[in-house]
Amino acid sequence: MIEKLRAPIAFLFMGLLLLSVGFGQSWSVALGIINLCLISAIMSLGVNIQWGYAGLFNAGIMGFVAIGGVSAVLVSHEPVQEAWSLGGFGLLTSLLVIVSGYILVLLIRKNLSSLLLRRIMITTISLLGLFIVLYFYKPAVSSIESINPAKTGFLGGLGLPIIYSWLVGGIFAGIVAFFIGKITLGLRSDYLAIATLGISEIVIAILKHEDWLSRGVKNVTGLSRPVPYEVDLQQADWFITLVSWINHQKISAILNLTDQQIYINQLIIDSSGLYVKICYALLFTVVLLIILAFSNRALNSPWGRMMRAIRDNEDAASAIGKNIFKQHLQVFIIGSAVVGIAGAMLTTLDGQFTPGSYQPLRFTFIVWIMVIVGGSGNNLGSIFGGFFVWFMWIEAEPLSIFIVHALTGGLDFDNVIRLHLIKSAPHLRLFLMGMILLLTMRFMPQGVIPETIKRT
Amino acid sequence: MQNKYFECHNLIGGYGGADILHGCSIAIDKNEIVVIVGPNGAGKSTAMKAMLGMIQIKSGTISFNGNDISKLSPQDRINQGLSFVPQTNNVFTELTVRENLEIGAYIRKDNFEETIEQIYDLFPVLKDKRSQLAGELSGGQRQQVAVGRALMTKPSVLMLDEPTAGVSPIVMDELFERIIEIKKTGMAILIVEQNAKQALNIADYGYVLVNGENKHFGTGAELLDNKEVRQSFLGG
Amino acid sequence: MEYIDIINAIVLLSNFVLLPAITYGSQLALAALGVTLIYAVLRFSNFAHGDLMSFGTMATILITWWLQSIGITGGILPTALIALPFGILATIILCLFIDRSVYKFYRKQKSVPVVFMIVSVGVMFTLNALVRFIIGPNDRKFFDGEKFIIKAIEFKNLTGLDEGLAIRSTQVITIVVAIVTMVLLFWFLQKSKTGKSMRAFSNNEDLALLSGINPDRVVLYTWIIVGALATIAGVLYGLDKSFKPYTYFSLVLPMFAAAIIGGVGSPIGAIVGGYIIGFSEVMLTYAYKKFLMYILPTNLEPSGLVQFLSTDYKFAISFIILVIVLIIRPTGIFKGKTL
């Protein structure tokens, strides 16, 4: 009975936490946290598909988030025509050479039986391909990057509504996951973790330094939005009417007309911010619910049962003829695609793509903590983990500062130790994350909302 | 049954789950080779591991040199003079032959050079290969390293779990000869064996275990003569 | 082409490739040794190793500052070398505390390696926070003493060559300390009774227990050695470059790469792996234009920089090598698993 109540209690608790932020700090802050909680929940759902369903330790989450992020740029940014006309040919040729080289290598591997000959051919093709690619690629890149480097200097995107990028981000992440999975999924769990961690760093390195693609560390800012802009809302008659109507009691309580107008203006500015955040929250909730519905269906399907069987006993599963590698590849692609969707959503919410901000602590390991705290293998658990851990991540900073102030209250105002502690307090949130993970692993290894289906 | 040097009585237990031992009793004296034979899954190795303390027993007694040792950990039993050669993974493959022997003497505080020389005398090939990694040796040589390692503590009881599994008949005969030589030093030797006929040949006493119980027991010769034992376990 | 050009080319390469690569390789090798020892004995990939290095370095820096404040310095040598033993001690105490309070529980439970690995991520976070909390997240240089053994200009004057060879004292200190540490470690593992018991435990745990080896003792010694190695590696890296908690956290990947390339669990492999990564990072990002100008005839002089990879990718090289090794030969060069 208590087991069944765990999920409602957990979410009730989470709701209360968010409400307390709403009442205590402000609704804008609360909604800001909720939006990132929703994105985090999607990320941890994706990781849960890999870890909870199949036991795959993917430490490359950051890479897939970033791939989602870059697809937001590639979908929504206006194309830079000049760059395309100058460097498009060279880049497309390079791409063509890479793809045809890859296909050629695949053909050789399939059809040539002599190992030596195969190796010689593959090496030759790779080297030859590399030279051809470099020949076209380098001049193309330098001409693209020289076009108005302060503003563009990259190919731009397709100029489509950014919301499409959520799907595209998932697809891109899935495609990349296919290749990464092909390389790494045969490895033991800890090697898989290290390899994926390394590959995600390579992905970030590429995004940081291939300026023609997404301006590298110069960032792409001012991405378009799927929701209205605050400035537009503040001009819109319907919005002003709506806000005045909702607050008419408070407004009419102010008698002085000038004060009333100032108050209304302030209300409209505040409400426009809230309105935008609510729009995002609704969009994200829809995506979360769709993914949750699919995840739950998958988990309870024969496919999901087979995944768990493989996870719990790989040898037995392979003994009855299950192709473990293929199943793992599927689950790796699907999970990564979900993370990619979340990555695109995150960049959409930020309105900018900043490759320098992708750090493994924030985008890989925190997501891991979400999944483990929530309950590996349980989708609701992952969502709770996403909400709870993100909430802690944000609120840990004011909390630590508060605690430090309380602890050092007895010291002089400009006491060296006190000042140092106050300055260092924000770092305690990493400590809190570590402790949450350690305590969960120790005392609640199944997580807050444990997997409900019995392990076979 | 009078008190022997090392004996267990009415052992019941197994690896968690269902019991494997259903009241088997085994006894051995100094200067004696005792062989446990029986069909697969009869609990031969389990009985030996229980005597060594690697498996918790539910009931029964284990006594050594007149003392009850059934509550002691395997390490403590080894300190008291038991020594065990597992069936598989019984050498340190990444260590040299000499290092294997040195690790065998890990619990000894005194100088063990003499013991090493004795083992080199017993297994001369080990002396030639002393600087080689044990993992590079042949199966028979590995068994010699394994037995040598177990002898390094100068134990009073040597327990061997299927020492001839997977070695050629010639190597097996040689190994048994060496075991007889070891016995002559006054040691008690307990062997679990699949190759029942050859093992009973060198045994002073033997037990046939079936379903975790003593089915037959007697001197090696008696068991070899016993018609039922011959038909069921020795292939006629 | 004259022979003087060849000498100039060699000096150039020594100055910009050989010396930096050996130095960095030594630092990585020491770090990778720690990773490999944990793997061989405790059987998990310790994600917290970079932060352990960071803690050890921080402890050493704090003691260095204290020593400097009371007027003790190392003269021409960095004061940190005097502080190093105390830093090692602090790190060992920390290691043992973490083992008691965290890892021991899972050892008793006989948890699978991936659980240890996840737990080590938790340790990584807490240590990372601890270090940032105590010393702050900023870049710190704590080198004092004589900076150069020989300056480029001095070398040029001395030899009359066009190219200078600058030998920084941190490079020599790194190499000397690394060699001494490695020799001591190998002597310990190969010759001492405890070292042999560690190798035995790593090779065949069950048989080691049957031989009367006390696992707690093996674990204790492993953490002592790991704490020492992590601190030495961290301090050498910090002296040579600088200390920044985030950089140390990021070092976990090159050192995993080094350990895995060599064959995780194999100390020799860790050392070789460390140098492979060190050399690859430096050699693949060095622009060989000037070098080629010395050794090639004038009409063949290269037009570009002759650089295999842009320095932007320096950090990614170790991951690329790692991934390639994992695909081609996951067991590493020296088939690892045991000491």
Side-chain angles (χ1 to χ4, degrees):
Chain A
M1 193 59 205
I2 288 177
E3 289 306 307
K4 277 194 172 172
L5 284 176
R6 282 181 94 121
I9 291 173
F11 280 104
L12 194 69
F13 171 70
M14 197 60 237
L16 288 177
L17 279 181
L18 289 167
L19 282 178
S20 69
V21 171
F23 284 112
Q25 283 177 281
S26 81
W27 289 105
S28 178
V29 172
L31 277 168
I33 294 177
I34 286 173
N35 280 335
L36 281 163
C37 281
L38 287 163
I39 292 175
S40 303
I42 295 173
M43 284 183 196
S44 70
L45 269 180
V47 175
N48 185 43
I49 291 173
Q50 295 173 342
W51 167 249
Y53 293 16
L56 294 177
F57 197 121
N58 172 10
I61 302 163
M62 170 179 75
F64 297 108
V65 176
I67 290 167
V70 78
S71 48
V73 175
L74 298 182
V75 166
S76 73
H77 200 280
E78 287 302 316
V80 182
Q81 299 295 353
E82 205 183 344
W84 274 106
S85 57
L86 273 177
F89 172 75
L91 276 181
L92 287 178
T93 316
S94 310
L95 187 70
L96 198 70
V97 170
I98 291 173
V99 171
S100 47
Y102 182 72
I103 293 170
L104 217 57
V105 168
L106 282 186
L107 283 176
I108 289 170
R109 283 178 73 159
K110 220 173 192 172
N111 296 321
L112 263 183
S113 51
S114 155
L115 189 69
L116 182 73
L117 204 62
R118 213 159 65 185
R119 284 200 174 151
I120 293 173
M121 296 272 287
I122 290 176
T123 319
T124 325
I125 290 174
S126 312
L127 284 178
L128 208 68
L130 189 69
F131 278 112
I132 301 174
V133 166
L134 284 182
Y135 178 78
F136 285 104
Y137 169 87
K138 282 215 160 160
V141 165
S142 53
S143 54
I144 292 171
E145 288 173 2
S146 62
I147 301 164
N148 194 2
K151 273 186 145 172
T152 55
F154 77 127
L155 283 176
L158 298 172
L160 295 171
I162 197 163
I163 202 156
Y164 292 153
S165 75
W166 300 1
L167 193 62
V168 173
I171 294 169
F172 276 6
I175 293 171
V176 174
F178 169 79
F179 290 105
I180 295 179
K182 276 252 171 202
I183 297 171
T184 57
L185 282 178
L187 300 170
R188 270 191 350 231
S189 58
D190 47 347
Y191 280 18
L192 175 66
I194 294 162
T196 45
L197 185 62
I199 292 174
S200 71
E201 291 280 4
I202 297 174
V203 169
I204 301 301
I206 293 173
L207 292 178
K208 270 184 184 169
H209 302 303
E210 296 303 314
D211 290 8
W212 58 270
L213 180 66
S214 58
R215 285 173 47 87
V217 285
K218 287 181 286 183
N219 304 336
V220 182
T221 51
L223 292 174
S224 62
R225 270 187 184 179
V227 296
Y229 285 85
E230 286 88 347
V231 277
D232 296 338
L233 284 175
Q234 287 155 20
Q235 310 292 324
D237 289 335
W238 66 268
F239 188 74
I240 296 169
T241 325
L242 184 74
V243 172
S244 325
W245 180 73
I246 291 174
N247 296 292
H248 69 273
Q249 277 181 327
K250 285 184 200 163
I251 294 168
S252 49
I254 300 169
L255 299 174
N256 182 324
L257 268 184
T258 333
D259 285 351
Q260 202 179 38
Q261 197 51 47
I262 291 170
Y263 183 65
I264 291 174
N265 285 345
Q266 191 54 45
L267 265 180
I268 287 168
I269 289 170
D270 290 348
S271 309
S272 65
L274 279 180
Y275 180 82
V276 168
K277 283 181 176 164
I278 290 171
C279 288
Y280 273 123
L282 289 175
L283 280 175
F284 292 168
T285 310
V286 169
V287 176
L288 176 67
L289 290 178
I290 293 172
I291 292 174
L292 175 67
F294 276 113
S295 302
N296 273 337
R297 269 193 75 142
L299 188 63
N300 297 315
S301 68
W303 180 83
R305 278 197 291 279
M306 179 175 62
M307 262 349 208
R308 285 195 300 278
I310 292 175
R311 176 195 66 190
D312 292 336
N313 195 339
E314 218 164 88
D315 296 333
S318 82
I320 55 169
K322 298 292 176 200
N323 184 342
I324 291 174
F325 182 82
K326 210 177 123 196
Q327 305 297 339
H328 277 175
L329 189 60
Q330 281 177 6
V331 100
F332 190 72
I333 292 172
I334 295 170
S336 304
V338 172
V339 174
I341 293 172
M345 289 162 66
L346 183 67
T347 303
T348 307
L349 180 67
D350 288 344
Q352 55 179 354
F353 178 67
T354 52
S357 66
Y358 292 102
Q359 293 189 350
L361 277 182
R362 156 73 182 87
F363 284 100
T364 293
F365 293 112
I366 293 284
V367 182
W368 264 97
I369 297 178
M370 291 170 183
V371 175
I372 286 164
V373 169
S376 313
N378 188 319
N379 289 326
L380 282 181
S382 300
I383 293 177
F384 172 76
F387 269 79
F388 178 71
V389 172
W390 184 261
F391 182 86
M392 294 310 283
W393 178 248
I394 293 300
E395 290 295 322
E397 205 168 315
L399 193 71
S400 343
I401 292 172
F402 175 77
I403 290 173
V404 167
H405 272 285
L407 286 179
T408 57
L411 297 172
D412 286 340
F413 186 71
D414 50 358
N415 181 301
V416 182
I417 294 175
R418 179 186 140 96
L419 290 178
H420 174 79
L421 286 179
I422 288 172
K423 202 178 71 187
S424 305
H427 302 303
L428 282 177
R429 73 175 181 184
L430 289 170
F431 189 79
L432 187 74
M433 288 296 124
M435 288 317 284
I436 288 177
L437 178 59
L438 287 177
L439 293 174
T440 309
M441 288 300 285
R442 180 72 162 260
F443 299 107
M444 224 179 356
Q446 307 275 329
V448 175
I449 311 176
E451 193 179 3
T452 42
I453 301 140
K454 268 198 175 163
R455 285 166 186 262
T456 43
Chain B
M1 206 187 284
Q2 74 275 28
N3 265 349
K4 289 214 175 188
Y5 185 57
F6 181 34
E7 62 175 32
C8 65
H9 204 64
N10 263 332
L11 293 187
I12 295 176
Y15 301 87
D19 288 346
I20 297 170
L21 303 174
H22 299 281
C24 79
S25 305
I26 288 155
I28 179 168
D29 246 335
K30 280 188 174 175
N31 209 3
E32 209 177 47
I33 295 179
V34 169
V35 172
I36 308 173
V37 296
N40 277 331
K44 305 184 299 275
S45 295
T46 315
M48 185 177 263
K49 284 178 183 161
M51 292 174 82
L52 196 73
M54 291 164 78
I55 290 168
Q56 293 291 314
I57 49 164
K58 285 183 186 159
S59 72
T61 57
I62 303 168
S63 74
F64 175 63
N65 208 3
N67 302 318
D68 179 22
I69 59 163
S70 51
K71 297 280 178 288
L72 295 184
S73 71
Q75 271 78 17
D76 289 334
R77 296 184 205 201
I78 285 160
N79 281 324
Q80 296 219 344
L82 303 188
S83 195
F84 176 61
V85 181
Q87 184 187 345
T88 52
N89 294 326
N90 51 18
V91 295
F92 297 105
T93 50
E94 306 275 325
L95 269 59
T96 65
V97 169
R98 202 194 134 87
E99 284 171 341
N100 265 276
L101 299 180
E102 288 175 13
I103 292 294
Y106 185 79
I107 56 172
R108 284 178 60 175
K109 302 273 178 278
D110 55 337
N111 190 338
F112 50 77
E113 283 305 317
E114 200 188 330
T115 321
I116 290 193
E117 286 307 319
Q118 284 168 356
I119 284 162
Y120 285 163
D121 289 342
L122 188 67
F123 302 116
V125 69
L126 297 190
K127 186 164 190 175
D128 302 335
K129 308 246 173 187
R130 60 182 180 272
S131 307
Q132 229 171 313
L133 294 185
E136 296 170 353
L137 301 182
S138 71
Q141 290 166 346
R142 276 194 198 205
Q143 288 307 69
Q144 297 185 358
V145 175
V147 175
R149 183 204 60 83
L151 288 173
M152 282 304 293
T153 49
K154 289 207 276 187
S156 40
V157 179
L158 178 65
M159 305 162 90
L160 302 144
D161 190 0
E162 304 205 15
T164 65
V167 301
S168 71
I170 304 166
V171 174
M172 178 168 73
D173 289 342
E174 205 196 317
L175 198 64
F176 279 146
E177 267 174 46
R178 296 285 170 271
I179 289 172
I180 294 171
E181 264 184 59
I182 298 167
K183 180 188 93 168
K184 287 179 186 154
T185 62
M187 210 172 286
I189 298 174
L190 185 62
I191 309 176
V192 165
E193 256 306 336
Q194 284 282 1
N195 297 310
K197 215 182 225 169
Q198 291 85 341
L200 287 174
N201 262 323
I202 64 158
D204 296 297
Y205 205 82
Y207 293 88
V208 179
L209 244 59
V210 177
N211 286 331
E213 279 181 296
N214 298 18
K215 179 96 173 180
H216 305 279
F217 46 86
T219 64
E222 277 169 14
L223 288 175
L224 284 170
D225 282 342
N226 183 322
K227 205 177 165 195
E228 205 192 327
V229 173
R230 275 222 312 275
Q231 280 180 346
S232 321
F233 307 110
L234 306 176
Chain C
M1 187 175 52
E2 294 172 57
Y3 82 99
I4 193 85
D5 280 345
I6 298 182
I7 294 181
N8 268 323
I10 293 171
V11 169
L12 179 77
L13 220 53
S14 308
N15 193 33
F16 290 104
V17 176
L18 204 59
L19 215 57
I22 294 180
T23 311
Y24 180 47
S26 305
Q27 291 150 3
L28 273 185
L30 290 177
L33 273 174
V35 170
T36 239
L37 275 173
I38 294 279
Y39 190 86
V41 176
L42 297 152
R43 299 176 210 286
F44 70 94
S45 306
N46 183 15
F47 273 80
H49 199 75
D51 289 296
L52 197 63
M53 275 169 66
S54 170
F55 179 89
T57 314
M58 176 197 73
T60 309
I61 291 176
L62 293 180
I63 295 162
T64 306
W65 287 346
W66 177 73
L67 286 173
Q68 287 166 341
S69 74
I70 58 168
I72 299 176
T73 64
I76 56 163
L77 289 173
T79 314
L81 286 184
I82 305 174
L84 182 60
F86 302 100
I88 290 175
L89 194 68
T91 315
I92 289 172
I93 292 169
L94 177 83
C95 284
L96 296 179
F97 170 75
I98 293 173
D99 188 66
R100 287 291 129 81
S101 56
V102 180
Y103 295 121
K104 194 176 179 184
F105 172 80
Y106 301 97
R107 231 175 9 253
K108 293 276 173 273
Q109 297 227 311
K110 300 205 187 319
S111 299
V112 291
V114 74
V115 168
F116 279 93
M117 189 164 74
I118 294 171
V119 170
S120 81
V121 170
V123 173
M124 175 183 91
F125 268 99
T126 33
L127 277 185
N128 198 306
L130 193 69
V131 171
R132 289 182 195 214
F133 186 74
I134 295 175
I135 203 167
N138 302 329
D139 221 351
R140 296 196 184 272
K141 290 197 184 291
F142 56 101
F143 177 83
D144 55 0
E146 201 54 49
K147 201 163 184 202
F148 286 97
I149 289 180
I150 185 159
K151 287 183 186 161
I153 186 83
E154 290 169 353
F155 184 90
K156 282 184 197 169
N157 292 339
L158 206 66
T159 57
L161 290 168
D162 291 336
E163 287 302 323
L165 178 64
I167 304 179
R168 282 186 289 131
S169 52
T170 53
Q171 294 174 320
V172 176
I173 290 170
T174 295
I175 295 166
V176 170
V177 173
I179 290 172
V180 170
T181 311
M182 289 173 199
V183 168
L184 279 177
L185 178 69
F186 275 86
W187 176 84
F188 174 79
L189 287 175
Q190 296 295 330
K191 298 292 175 210
S192 75
K193 187 177 172 181
T194 309
K196 284 176 188 169
S197 74
M198 283 172 63
R199 283 163 57 218
F201 184 88
S202 144
N203 180 210
N204 188 337
E205 189 173 336
D206 292 329
L207 196 61
L209 298 178
L210 276 176
S211 306
I213 290 172
N214 179 354
D216 295 335
R217 210 177 125 87
V218 170
V219 170
L220 173 83
Y221 272 93
T222 307
W223 279 117
I224 290 176
I225 298 171
V226 166
L229 284 172
T231 313
I232 296 171
V235 169
L236 291 179
Y237 185 89
L239 280 176
D240 189 41
K241 295 165 180 88
S242 68
F243 171 73
K244 189 180 181 194
Y246 184 75
T247 313
Y248 277 56
F249 155 76
S250 318
L251 273 178
V252 96
L253 266 170
M255 70 202 187
F256 267 136
I260 291 174
I261 287 166
V264 78
S266 153
I268 292 269
I271 293 172
V272 173
Y275 286 109
I276 290 179
I277 297 284
F279 269 89
S280 311
E281 280 197 16
V282 179
M283 284 174 74
L284 291 177
T285 53
Y286 178 67
Y288 289 90
K289 181 176 184 180
K290 206 170 175 193
F291 173 75
L292 292 175
M293 277 165 65
Y294 276 121
I295 60 165
L296 291 178
T298 331
N299 53 352
L300 279 179
E301 267 175 24
S303 54
L305 286 170
V306 199
Q307 194 180 17
F308 291 102
L309 266 175
S310 118
T311 34
D312 298 337
Y313 288 104
K314 188 166 192 167
F315 207 58
I317 287 173
S318 55
F319 320 142
I320 297 170
I321 298 175
L322 171 71
V323 172
I324 293 172
V325 167
L326 283 176
I327 302 164
I328 298 174
R329 192 183 162 93
T331 47
I333 301 168
F334 301 86
K335 281 194 176 165
K337 267 199 283 300
T338 45
L339 286 176

